[in-house]
Amino acid sequence: MPTARHWLVAIIGFVLLLAGGLYRSHQVLFGAARETAEQQLQAVAALKSQEIQRWIEDRLIFLSQPPGSVMSQHFARLLQQPGDARAAAGLRQRFRYLQQTIPEISAIGLHDLAGRSYLADPADDHLRDDTLHQEAVQAMLESRRPRLVDFHRKAGREGEVVLDLLVPLFAEGETGRLIGYALFEIDPARVLYPMVSQWPVPSATGESLLVRRDGDEVLFLSPLGRQAGAPLKLRLPLDTPGLISGMALHGVGEVLAGRDYRGLAVLGVVLPVGQTDWLLVAKMDDSEIYREARRNFAWLTAAGVVLMAVLLLLGRVFSAALQAREQEARFRLLAESGSDVVWLYELASRRFAYVSPSVQAMRGITVAEAQQQTMADLLTPECHQHLDGELERWIAAVDTGQEAAASRHYELVQPRKDGSLIQTEAVMTLITDAQGRVTHIQGISRDITERKRAEAELRKFLLSAEQSPVSIVITNLAAEIEYVNEAFVRTAGYSREEVLGQNPRILQSGRTPRSSYEEMWRCLSRGEGWRGELFNRRKDGSEYLEYASINPIRQPDGSITHYLAVKEDITERRATEAALAESEDKFRTIYDTIGDAIFVHDVASGSILDVNGGACRMYGYSREELLSLDVQGITADDPAFPPQAARDYMRRVQEEGPQSFEWMARGSSGRQFWVLVNLQVFRLSGGQRVLAVVRDIDGHKRAEQELQQALAEAKALNQRLAEAQSQLLQSEKMASIGQLAAGVAHEMNNPIGFVYSNLGTLDHYLREIFAIIAAYEAADSGPCRDCRQLESARQLKLEKDFDFLRSDIVQLLAESRDGLERVAKIARDLKDFSRAGEAESQWADLHQGLDSTLNIVWNELKYKCTVHKEYGELPLVWCEPSQINQVFMNLLVNAAQAIPKKGDIWLRTGRRGDEVFVAVSDSGCGIAPEYLHRLFEPFFTTKPVGKGTGLGLSLAYSIVQKHQGRLEVESEPGRGSTFTVWLPIEARPRPEEGAEAASAPR
């Protein structure tokens, strides 16, 4: 028999076993919790670190400015010409595009190599002579790569933290030459700080921060999430005991257990951020990490205690069984007497093992009918499809041990027996067997149809109140505000938190009479509503006028519990009414003082209903006299203006809309004068009227006749000017050809000279050949082949070196042919240059014209320069070839004359969109900036007296403009000039060219 000692030993052994099991469970639970937290923190830290690094890399790539970029080109032009408005406008447009594309850019500044600022707002240009920026600029210039300036505060803006990105700018076409740099100010609060602070998974204490070492301190770079603190404000000693960021900076490791800036116990992961000296700290409080472990350990401890209690109370098993049966009976009584439906669903049979009788009241079916239904019969198809998937995943998770068999809440839609639908709320609990497999679902269902309907009505009311354009205020009987809508917040300027619990008197401005408030409270005290106007004051101190309707809110029993105020801001309405009255006075003043006559006619009869003062002054009648007349009474006695014409205009203004015409009027003195009449129909006092605005144009008519005469004279003058311009153009062309005549003659004399010389030699050769032929002919007529005459002929052939003559004659003819071809080519080029007989526009090959012109002026160029051709692909261009060739010749000759001794000329062509360009560049002396704006003036020249007419560029400019193109010039003294001709591929035809352009090839 077991003794008390045996029981004591057994109990002590059980206690020791229980303590060991609890210790082991503590190690497993807390170890698993820490491992899970470490994995989550490592994932978050790695994700954040990579996101920040990618963000930095993206900004460095996107904001880098390669040689020839838009910003570099405009900045180079601005450095060359500080007043270049086009370059400044282009840079500002680029700034706006970058700030729209990258919202975190708060300001942009440009600086040359000396540090001078361009186009920056002085409030935003904060590049200072501090060490941080000096070192960053120096490093950027040395590395020639973008440089990020670390977090710092803007000068003069305490509390505003920014990052700066310094980007070098390079000159176009000159690899490696730095011209300055751009400073992009980045506001980290727009993108970077939200990126750092956002925690990707649900967590009550999870937080990520950016820190870096600053001497012997840890500097916190981002906002603190768990206590008030702005960026760069908090500094902690590096050797603070247990500080995880300090331990990371000392190289202790990545996963650290210690304390954070609040001094609370945390677990953190610290990772470096690439390309910076920042550390990304991801941490969670120990209280959250081990909360579930502590709860489970508490449950295990409680279970052990319960088990121990069970063992100690083993003798009371029978009593406990009886007690359990009593509890079951009470549960059944409770389940069957309540309005909620209690049910038990068996998964094996897919039927309800138990359903409480209240199912009949809820769904209109009996218990027996309910027990024959499946879960699919219980719900609507859509609801069952959703719930079936949810239950399948839940049961699978419990069966596999991934989740505990806890309770879940579902809102379901169920059909009643009569076909109507009800909304129910079900609390479901999974019941498992000894092996942990789910066998049943226990649930309690409640009909929430009425509650849902009430909630929908309440939401509808709240949405209506919130979206109402007028202010709504609800107070209790003590006049304490309990509700305000969004319109009140917008109107008064107070937030909800600021006014809830306050008395509406916080809005009083002192301008509303005290009697108004007394009358309001008398009405409310009697349970009546009150309406009136109140002068109130907003939070910012500005005043506004409100129309208020205040009524008591009564409960079903008739008691008043609250007051409802509906208020409308009528400040603008009153201002509009006052402005309308003022506008009406102004209109009446203008109506009577305007110089034009205004008549209001009846549509049907045409009678005059109203006139202004201008009508009285124009016609010489009083207002009463004009109202007694009709249209014929103020019309000239001229058959060209019969009464029927006036009636026709009245009819047409109604049918066709506003009418405008000239009319001959008659005043009270009998003076007849021309007027311009404008008719329009409008509504007045519910009826249609005709408004006639009459202007005296008698003086204008006389001036018009004089103007027509002057116009005819101007047309004749323009014709003479056009003829003079054509003669001037021809004169300049002839002057140019005359200037080049010596060169062309020289070019033609060379081949003609050696052709002439070759002809002389050929004449000598032919004489000797004819002598040889004559000797052979004499021998051929002799008596034999071996006679002396034949021998003489052979000797003569050897003396004359017949073989040499035969070969040299061929070479002489080839050289002569080449020389004549060169002469013919020069002649063709002269023809192409002049384009004789082709003065009209046609489709032309600009390359052909450029090459022909180049051959014409070659004698001017070949001794002074080397010509480089960089031709692009050009389509045919609609132009007058002879005039365009004249432009090319002027530009080529000017380029040659600009080169003092020896240099280069570049010819570049290309196409951009619907335009083509021909650029002529030289390495000459260049043009002074003060002369650039005068280059295209007639008779202006920078050449010495006698060296130029000053018409070449002027005529070239007018020719290009005539072709709807443009002539641009870029020049730098000492480096040369570039003249660029831009021409449309197909210019819009002038009226006289319309027929030709319409039939041009496409």
Side-chain angles (χ1 to χ4, degrees):
M1 292 291 294
T3 63
R5 183 174 182 178
H6 293 155
W7 280 106
L8 180 60
V9 172
I11 291 173
I12 292 174
F14 176 77
V15 170
L16 293 176
L17 182 62
L18 179 61
L22 290 176
Y23 176 78
R24 178 58 182 166
S25 299
H26 182 277
Q27 296 297 320
V28 172
L29 290 173
F30 280 73
R34 171 160 178 158
E35 181 180 358
T36 301
E38 286 182 1
Q39 293 174 353
Q40 179 178 335
L41 290 171
Q42 286 176 332
V44 171
L47 174 65
K48 295 288 183 182
S49 176
Q50 293 171 2
E51 283 182 345
I52 296 172
Q53 184 173 353
R54 281 197 299 271
W55 178 80
I56 294 174
E57 291 173 352
D58 290 346
R59 296 304 170 266
L60 289 175
I61 293 172
F62 190 85
L63 295 177
S64 294
Q65 303 296 319
S69 66
V70 175
M71 185 178 294
S72 298
Q73 292 180 23
H74 288 312
F75 187 52
R77 291 176 57 190
L78 191 64
L79 290 178
Q80 293 176 0
Q81 300 182 19
D84 192 334
R86 290 182 60 188
L91 286 169
R92 290 192 176 95
Q93 182 178 4
R94 184 64 178 170
F95 291 175
R96 288 192 295 272
Y97 167 76
L98 291 175
Q99 289 180 309
Q100 292 171 359
T101 305
I102 307 176
E104 58 265 38
I105 295 179
S106 55
I108 303 175
L110 296 177
H111 304 267
D112 60 17
L113 296 179
R116 289 184 292 268
S117 177
Y118 294 80
L119 302 182
D121 187 345
D124 292 328
D125 185 16
H126 65 286
L127 184 61
R128 307 179 299 279
D129 294 329
D130 57 85
T131 304
L132 180 64
H133 283 83
Q134 287 179 351
E135 292 177 352
V137 170
Q138 186 63 30
M140 180 270 297
L141 294 177
E142 291 176 356
S143 65
R144 305 168 70 85
R145 296 173 64 85
R147 187 78 175 182
L148 184 67
V149 182
D150 209 338
F151 291 92
H152 59 280
R153 299 188 184 280
K154 291 180 64 172
R157 299 190 183 182
E158 185 64 26
E160 187 172 353
V161 177
V162 297
L163 290 165
D164 290 337
L165 181 60
L166 304 178
V167 177
L169 300 177
F170 302 93
E172 180 183 9
E174 298 180 40
T175 304
R177 189 171 77 87
L178 268 171
I179 60 173
Y181 54 92
L183 184 145
F184 296 91
E185 180 188 278
I186 298 175
D187 184 359
R190 300 182 183 176
V191 173
L192 182 57
Y193 283 162
M195 183 190 304
V196 173
S197 61
Q198 183 179 9
W199 196 262
V201 294
S203 175
T205 63
E207 183 181 9
S208 53
L209 302 164
L210 282 178
V211 301
R212 67 172 170 85
R213 182 169 186 167
D214 190 4
D216 293 328
E217 296 179 320
V218 178
L219 177 61
F220 288 78
L221 305 177
S222 58
L224 305 179
R226 303 303 170 197
Q227 73 177 34
L232 304 187
K233 286 288 189 181
L234 180 61
R235 296 172 178 266
L236 294 178
L238 194 63
D239 296 324
T240 301
L243 186 65
I244 59 173
S245 53
M247 290 190 288
L249 289 171
H250 278 306
V252 174
E254 289 184 359
V255 181
L256 300 168
R259 299 190 178 278
D260 64 357
Y261 56 86
R262 301 168 298 170
L264 298 182
V266 296
L267 179 66
V269 172
V270 183
L271 294 178
V273 178
Q275 302 188 33
T276 69
D277 56 353
W278 306 338
L279 292 180
L280 189 286
V281 180
K283 65 179 183 67
M284 291 176 61
D285 290 359
D286 283 359
S287 59
E288 180 182 1
I289 295 173
Y290 300 112
R291 182 185 298 117
E292 191 65 26
R294 291 190 180 99
R295 183 183 298 113
N296 292 337
F297 182 75
W299 278 108
L300 286 174
T301 304
V305 172
V306 170
L307 182 57
M308 186 174 178
V310 169
L311 291 175
L312 293 174
L313 300 175
L314 192 59
R316 301 182 61 183
V317 172
F318 182 72
S319 176
L322 289 176
Q323 196 174 28
R325 282 197 293 270
E326 291 176 359
Q327 289 177 351
E328 181 182 353
R330 285 196 297 271
F331 170 76
R332 183 176 294 276
L333 179 63
L334 179 63
E336 295 182 355
S337 60
S339 60
D340 295 341
V341 177
V342 180
W343 46 269
L344 183 66
Y345 186 75
E346 186 177 40
L347 294 178
S349 64
R350 295 190 176 274
R351 292 290 187 273
F352 289 92
Y354 173 78
V355 180
S356 63
S358 53
V359 70
Q360 186 165 3
M362 179 184 291
R363 298 187 56 221
I365 60 176
T366 63
V367 171
E369 290 174 333
Q371 289 179 331
Q372 295 302 315
Q373 290 185 338
T374 64
M375 192 69 77
D377 301 325
L378 179 70
L379 306 169
T380 62
E382 297 81 5
C383 186
H384 174 260
Q385 182 178 4
H386 172 72
L387 181 63
D388 190 53
E390 287 281 332
L391 290 178
E392 184 177 349
R393 288 188 292 272
W394 185 21
I395 293 171
V398 173
D399 285 343
T400 57
Q402 297 178 4
E403 290 188 21
S407 297
R408 290 189 180 182
H409 292 251
Y410 295 97
E411 290 188 0
L412 308 173
V413 179
Q414 296 183 252
R416 289 176 53 86
K417 189 174 183 177
D418 59 6
S420 61
L421 300 177
I422 60 172
Q423 290 180 289
T424 61
E425 179 183 53
V427 180
M428 300 184 189
T429 305
L430 300 183
I431 299 176
T432 60
D433 57 13
Q435 288 75 33
R437 306 290 297 179
V438 178
T439 59
H440 293 78
I441 302 176
Q442 177 184 315
I444 301 176
S445 298
R446 175 175 296 174
D447 187 348
I448 60 171
T449 305
E450 290 301 322
R451 189 184 80 188
K452 285 292 185 180
R453 185 178 297 115
E455 290 175 353
E457 292 295 328
L458 180 60
R459 281 195 299 272
K460 187 187 303 181
F461 167 76
L462 289 176
L463 287 174
S464 300
E466 283 298 315
Q467 298 175 14
S468 173
V470 298
S471 300
I472 297 176
V473 182
I474 298 177
T475 69
N476 57 23
L477 296 181
E480 295 172 342
I481 298 175
E482 294 186 357
Y483 171 80
V484 294
N485 69 343
E486 186 63 28
F488 174 87
V489 173
R490 291 195 302 269
T491 301
Y494 289 95
S495 65
R496 285 185 170 90
E497 293 74 14
E498 290 174 321
V499 298
L500 293 181
Q502 298 290 328
N503 191 291
R505 68 170 62 96
I506 64 173
L507 302 175
Q508 292 182 5
S509 65
R511 294 183 57 194
T512 304
R514 185 178 181 84
S515 58
S516 297
Y517 292 116
E518 292 174 350
E519 175 62 22
M520 176 182 69
W521 281 110
R522 279 195 296 270
C523 292
L524 295 178
S525 299
R526 294 194 301 265
E528 302 173 353
W530 177 86
R531 293 172 178 80
E533 296 180 355
L534 300 173
F535 285 97
N536 286 338
R537 180 181 287 114
R538 298 183 178 89
K539 181 181 178 180
D540 60 8
S542 61
E543 295 184 356
Y544 62 103
L545 180 63
E546 278 190 325
Y547 178 78
S549 176
I550 305 177
N551 292 279
I553 298 177
R554 299 180 183 273
Q555 298 301 318
D557 59 0
S559 62
I560 297 175
T561 57
H562 294 81
Y563 296 116
L564 171 66
V566 179
K567 305 190 294 180
E568 181 181 5
D569 185 351
I570 60 173
T571 308
E572 293 186 3
R573 184 199 302 173
R574 286 301 174 85
T576 302
E577 292 174 354
L580 184 61
E582 182 181 357
S583 175
E584 186 175 352
D585 292 340
K586 291 179 180 178
F587 170 76
R588 175 54 62 180
T589 302
I590 295 172
Y591 179 73
D592 285 329
T593 58
I594 192 171
D596 291 344
I598 299 177
F599 294 83
V600 178
H601 296 271
D602 180 70
V603 172
S605 63
S607 60
I608 301 174
L609 303 179
D610 190 22
V611 296
N612 70 337
C616 299
R617 292 188 295 272
M618 184 180 295
Y619 287 86
Y621 292 105
S622 66
R623 184 174 185 276
E624 291 74 15
E625 290 173 333
L626 283 174
L627 294 179
S628 64
L629 297 174
D630 56 10
V631 175
Q632 190 59 32
I634 54 176
T635 299
D637 297 328
D638 191 327
F641 302 95
Q644 183 59 39
R647 287 192 292 271
D648 289 342
Y649 278 118
M650 286 287 187
R651 175 184 54 79
R652 288 166 60 185
V653 74
Q654 300 176 62
E655 297 175 354
E656 303 174 7
Q659 301 290 318
S660 181
F661 55 91
E662 293 180 355
W663 194 259
M664 181 67 75
R666 185 185 68 227
S668 61
S669 63
R671 181 179 75 93
Q672 297 186 359
F673 54 97
W674 282 99
V675 295
L676 176 65
V677 182
N678 289 282
L679 299 182
Q680 185 171 349
V681 176
F682 72 104
R683 297 191 65 82
L684 181 66
S685 301
Q688 282 194 334
R689 302 289 186 264
V690 174
L691 177 68
V693 179
V694 181
R695 176 166 295 178
D696 186 346
I697 60 170
D698 197 56
H700 293 174
K701 295 290 283 187
R702 289 192 298 272
E704 182 179 342
Q705 295 174 354
E706 297 174 357
L707 182 61
Q708 288 179 350
Q709 181 179 357
L711 182 60
E713 296 175 356
K715 286 182 178 179
L717 179 59
N718 286 339
Q719 181 64 28
R720 291 196 297 272
L721 287 175
E723 294 173 356
Q725 183 181 14
S726 176
Q727 293 173 1
L728 186 61
L729 177 61
Q730 187 64 24
S731 174
E732 173 63 15
K733 180 183 291 187
M734 296 305 296
S736 301
I737 293 176
Q739 178 182 359
L740 300 174
V744 173
H746 177 73
E747 289 295 316
M748 296 181 70
N749 278 337
N750 286 338
I752 291 174
F754 69 72
V755 170
Y756 183 79
S757 175
N758 288 349
L759 289 175
T761 303
L762 186 60
D763 178 68
H764 174 69
Y765 287 173
L766 288 176
R767 291 179 186 276
E768 292 181 345
I769 290 172
F770 289 155
I772 295 171
I773 293 173
Y776 271 102
E777 288 177 347
D780 187 55
S781 62
C784 64
R785 294 181 177 272
D786 297 327
C787 63
R788 294 177 58 191
Q789 291 177 330
L790 182 60
E791 182 62 30
S792 298
R794 291 173 178 167
Q795 187 64 32
L796 182 61
K797 180 179 178 182
L798 292 175
E799 290 176 0
K800 300 300 184 179
D801 196 356
F802 181 78
D803 293 336
F804 170 76
L805 293 178
R806 183 169 53 187
S807 62
D808 197 37
I809 287 174
V810 175
Q811 185 175 355
L812 287 175
L813 291 175
E815 291 177 355
S816 300
R817 186 182 299 108
D818 179 66
L820 292 176
E821 286 179 355
R822 289 173 58 185
V823 172
K825 185 176 186 305
I826 292 174
R828 285 196 304 272
D829 289 340
L830 281 172
K831 179 182 179 182
D832 290 342
F833 173 77
S834 62
R835 290 280 183 166
E838 297 180 2
E840 298 299 327
S841 294
Q842 57 185 280
W843 293 98
D845 184 350
L846 295 188
H847 285 159
Q848 179 182 351
L850 188 58
D851 290 338
S852 299
T853 306
L854 184 62
N855 288 334
I856 296 301
V857 302
W858 181 243
N859 194 63
E860 293 285 325
L861 307 180
K862 63 182 180 181
Y863 300 112
K864 300 186 67 176
C865 62
T866 300
V867 177
H868 308 274
K869 295 182 180 180
E870 299 177 7
Y871 288 176
E873 293 291 334
L874 292 186
L876 296 180
V877 177
W878 184 256
C879 64
E880 293 186 20
S882 62
Q883 293 190 7
I884 297 300
N885 290 345
Q886 176 72 31
V887 174
F888 293 159
M889 187 191 73
N890 289 348
L891 296 182
L892 287 168
V893 171
N894 284 354
Q897 292 175 350
I899 298 173
K901 293 182 179 180
K902 188 69 174 178
D904 296 276
I905 292 179
W906 292 269
L907 302 180
R908 301 182 180 91
T909 65
R911 173 179 180 175
R912 291 184 184 173
D914 294 333
E915 291 183 314
V916 298
F917 68 89
V918 178
V920 180
S921 304
D922 63 71
S923 60
C925 58
I927 304 170
E930 60 268 22
Y931 295 143
L932 288 176
H933 68 284
R934 298 188 59 195
L935 284 181
F936 304 119
E937 294 180 5
F939 305 108
F940 176 79
T941 179
T942 59
K943 301 174 185 176
V945 177
K947 294 295 184 180
T949 64
L951 292 174
L953 286 179
S954 174
L955 288 176
Y957 184 79
S958 64
I959 290 172
V960 173
Q961 276 198 327
K962 175 185 176 183
H963 284 75
Q964 303 176 27
R966 60 187 187 278
L967 181 57
E968 299 177 348
V969 59
E970 297 180 4
S971 183
E972 183 177 350
R975 296 179 65 88
S977 305
T978 297
F979 287 82
T980 305
V981 178
W982 290 90
L983 295 173
I985 296 174
E986 183 177 3
R988 292 184 297 275
R990 297 186 295 273
E992 63 272 14
E993 297 176 343
E996 295 177 358
S999 60
R1002 294 292 188 269

